[in-house]
Amino acid sequence: MSTAVLNHDQPAGHASAPPATAKFGMIMFLASEAMLFAGLIGGYIVLRLSMPQWPLPLEDGRVVHLPWLLTGINTVFLVTSSFTLHFAEVQVKKGKSGLPLIFVTILLGSLFVGIQCYEWWHLHHEGLWFNSGGVYGSSFFLMTGFHGVHVLVGVLLILWCFLRQVFTRCFTPAHHVALENISLYWHFVDVVWLFLFAIVYLWH
Amino acid sequence: MSAITAEPPASTGQAHHPEVGFFHKYIWTYDHKMIGIQYLWTALFFLLVGGGLALLVRYQLAWPNTPVPLIGQFLPATVASDGAIIPGGYNMLVTMHATLMVFFVVMPLLIGTFGNFLIPLQIGAGDMAFPLLNELSYWLYVVSGFLILAAFFAPGGAPGTGWTAYAPLSAEAKYNGTQMGQSLWGIAIFVNGLSSIAGATNYITTVVNMRAPGMTMFRMPLTVWSLFITAILLVLAVPVLSAAAAMLFCDLNMGTSFFKPAGGGQPLLWQHLFWFFGHPEVYILILPAMGLVSEIIAVFARKPIFGYKAMVYAMIAIGFLGFIVWGHHMFVSGMNLTLSATFSVSTMFIAVPSAIKTFNWMGTVWRGSIEFTTAMCFALAFVTMFVIGGLSGIFMASTPVDLFVHHTYFIVAHFHYVIFGGSILAIFGALYFWFPKMFGCMLNETLGKVHFFLTFIFFNLAFFPMHNLGLGGMMRRIADPTVYEHLRQLQPLNQISTIGAMGLGFTTFIFLGNIIITLWNRKSHPAPDNPWHANTLEWTVPSPPGHGNFPVTPTVYHGPYEYSVPGLDKDYLPQTEPAPAHVKLEAH
């Protein structure tokens, strides 16, 4: 309690919240994000369970299958990036810069986004898109789209951390709030992906 | 008064911020009090817009297809022709009235205004946990407001699908006739949701992490408790609506088929997602009002709130139950009967915590020395009107009754008794109560009483006949009741209701006039620090409080409702004052 009571001795409005408070705020925000994905995933499950066959055929009768193997490899990249970011944080806590591991995280995150883009392009080429394949296309592209935007935002945030660390070395063992919270966000996006991968790609 | 309040903080507060200019004081501010006031003015603007739409709706129902006096010829072609409202335009008016009132008036007033203003002050914090996020939340609300108003100017006009935007009507441009209007509605709801989530995240974090020393959870005023629980509901319920709004937007613009049966989609999915949000939303709209009213009633009954902990647990129970009852909005949507019975029972359970709250308010005023200030009048009116709205709610909880009254004006009467008779009356009362703290001057009590009595009379005149209309068979969302044989005899009731609504519109200007006159002569009615002799922390600092709120971090010694404690020489005991040794406090 009372970890952060501003008073007239501190210039209110310019003070940033203390680390524990910031982290708590991030967890609340992620709870909200979890409900966003719960809404999307719940809708998907309802739609899918009422279908006699899945995947739904396209309008011309062809069935487009999702490239689960490629995406499986992509999933490994994303999960690895969670570990690299975590260990970057550990390095920062030990007083090191953590820069190499943060950089690897950015690479893996970008790789994930790139492969997802390729997959979207590939599926579009095959004829599956937002407006084809009925709810199969609709739900696939909306869910992976929402998640993809989250990954992209995460990569940009980690890039911001990286540049700050390169130029200012602002993350110290005692104080690295931004890195800590962005890392929480990144793990969250990763966990959401595991759910999405399981129900979208692996559920037959 | 304790030593803490003795020194005016204005000098110390300003000393750190001599350079704050107009822009950083009023437009882009990090001060939670100013953000609350920003929300207040913006929401009052939307109250006028939403109220104006309601008057047009009522005019059409009372005197269908006759030109609207004065403003008829200024209405756009999508709404009226030759000054008379057309059926499609009627649908747009109903939709926009409801959307504006729910998302742009009541939520911003309760949560934006009072949440921002009161939470840090009542828990003894200098500001919110994340001031930047707080201001961002306000401006997202403004952006969403522009988006929703822009829908009026979209080709095809504003959406006319009701605030519930049921699919497939909302999801197919060829049915609703206004692809852009409906899309703007979806985007506005999404952006408004971001604003709500940003605000709610901030409130929860602030309440959990920033309480002053001694301010335990069970020493928090019920206002803070109610806003805290509301914020949790917002964080968990709003994103589901955002997901649904995104699906709706894609259905309209990207050719997806989430809610279109042709592509395997389900219109019912929209209803489930919408009401999964929609029912917690009902409690989002009423819980803060309950908190505000609890505070006002305890202060003006000069008694401790009856059953403080029971009040808290009742609110938690309402918040929890709110998530498992959404199906009761869908009894007529072709639901499995076992499921319908389940939702029926879970809904009736809500009557239990609601009754606990009502009886506790009665227990609080019972044998109190009641001061009938305007704020207290509104608070007492809240309790009575909420009981009427709550009881009609139990009618609908029961599936067999609901099958009969669903989609009738009985429902309209019910939710206006809850949202106007409940939330709006509480907002009025709370504005009279906290206005001195917000602006440093007292609202005129005589005008306040006139405002109260006219509001109370016209409100009942406007909405009580709707019960009879609904039970007489008048359907919701019909532009012209006179085309139905069985409704013609009820037309006088529609006209009475419209006269009441017009009276309400007129009365609102008395209220606004009171605000304007008071602010104009603000020097002549300066508010003391603690005009109502209340206990909570915001009354220990000057009105209005300086930047950073508290000159010295306050220490809290007991709960907020120690009124008329035997053995004290005054009938209140601020939370910052320890009780003298010979005085025994009731609890905590």
Side-chain angles (χ1 to χ4, degrees), chain B residues 246-494:
Chain B
M247 292 181 191
L248 180 66
F249 181 84
C250 288
D251 267 12
L252 276 165
N253 297 290
M254 319 273 284
T256 56
S257 37
F258 289 105
F259 308 124
K260 296 175 191 165
Q266 294 183 20
L268 259 186
L269 176 63
W270 169 265
Q271 293 190 25
H272 278 292
L273 291 174
F274 182 86
W275 287 117
F276 182 83
F277 150 82
H279 204 79
E281 172 70 14
V282 173
Y283 299 118
I284 288 166
L285 297 174
I286 198 70
L287 280 176
M290 290 173 161
L292 298 170
V293 160
S294 303
E295 189 73 29
I296 295 170
I297 285 185
V299 169
F300 293 121
R302 311 308 296 166
K303 274 186 63 191
I305 198 90
F306 188 89
Y308 171 89
K309 282 198 177 173
M311 292 295 245
V312 173
Y313 291 134
M315 284 194 284
I316 294 173
I318 291 174
F320 171 73
L321 288 170
F323 277 104
I324 55 168
V325 296
W326 79 90
H328 68 215
H329 295 270
M330 299 164 57
F331 286 154
V332 296
S333 301
M335 183 184 276
N336 176 310
L337 278 179
T338 314
L339 197 58
S340 145
T342 315
F343 276 124
S344 189
V345 171
S346 63
T347 304
M348 286 180 188
F349 269 123
I350 295 183
V352 177
S354 306
I356 290 173
K357 295 200 71 77
T358 308
F359 282 113
N360 284 358
W361 287 318
M362 287 160 65
T364 307
V365 291
W366 178 254
R367 301 188 69 183
S369 44
I370 300 173
E371 293 170 42
F372 286 101
T373 58
T374 308
M376 183 61 163
C377 291
F378 273 112
L380 293 174
F382 166 93
V383 177
T384 49
M385 295 301 103
F386 173 73
V387 166
I388 296 180
L391 287 178
S392 59
I394 302 179
F395 284 57
M396 274 97 76
S398 161
T399 314
V401 182
D402 186 70
L403 292 178
F404 177 66
V405 296
H406 209 97
H407 286 168
T408 70
Y409 258 71
F410 194 80
I411 304 272
V412 181
H414 159 69
F415 65 67
H416 281 95
Y417 264 84
V418 177
I419 293 183
F420 195 112
S423 307
I424 297 273
L425 290 188
I427 288 166
F428 282 146
L431 276 174
Y432 281 94
F433 188 73
W434 276 288
F435 197 87
K437 191 52 68 183
M438 286 177 167
F439 297 100
C441 44
M442 313 285 289
L443 282 172
N444 185 313
E445 275 288 307
T446 315
L447 273 177
K449 290 280 167 49
V450 173
H451 173 218
F452 166 71
F453 281 107
L454 290 181
T455 302
F456 190 74
I457 293 165
F458 284 131
F459 162 72
N460 281 293
L461 197 63
F463 295 110
F464 203 86
M466 290 183 185
H467 290 110
N468 309 47
L469 283 166
L471 293 178
M474 180 168 161
M475 303 76 87
R476 285 176 77 179
R477 294 176 178 148
I478 49 168
D480 182 0
T482 58
V483 301
Y484 300 94
E485 183 67 40
H486 71 289
L487 293 181
R488 270 182 216 141
Q489 54 175 339
L490 296 174
Q491 195 55 16
L493 281 179
N494 264 321

Side-chain angles (χ1 to χ4, degrees), chain A residues 2-3 7-8 13 50 135 138, chain B residues 16 30 211 257 263 266 547 550:
Chain A
S2 77
T3 50
N7 57 38
H8 283 273
S50 65
V135 286
S138 309
Chain B
H16 288 283
Y30 290 163
R211 280 168 288 125
S257 37
Q266 294 183 20
H547 202 93
F550 298 93

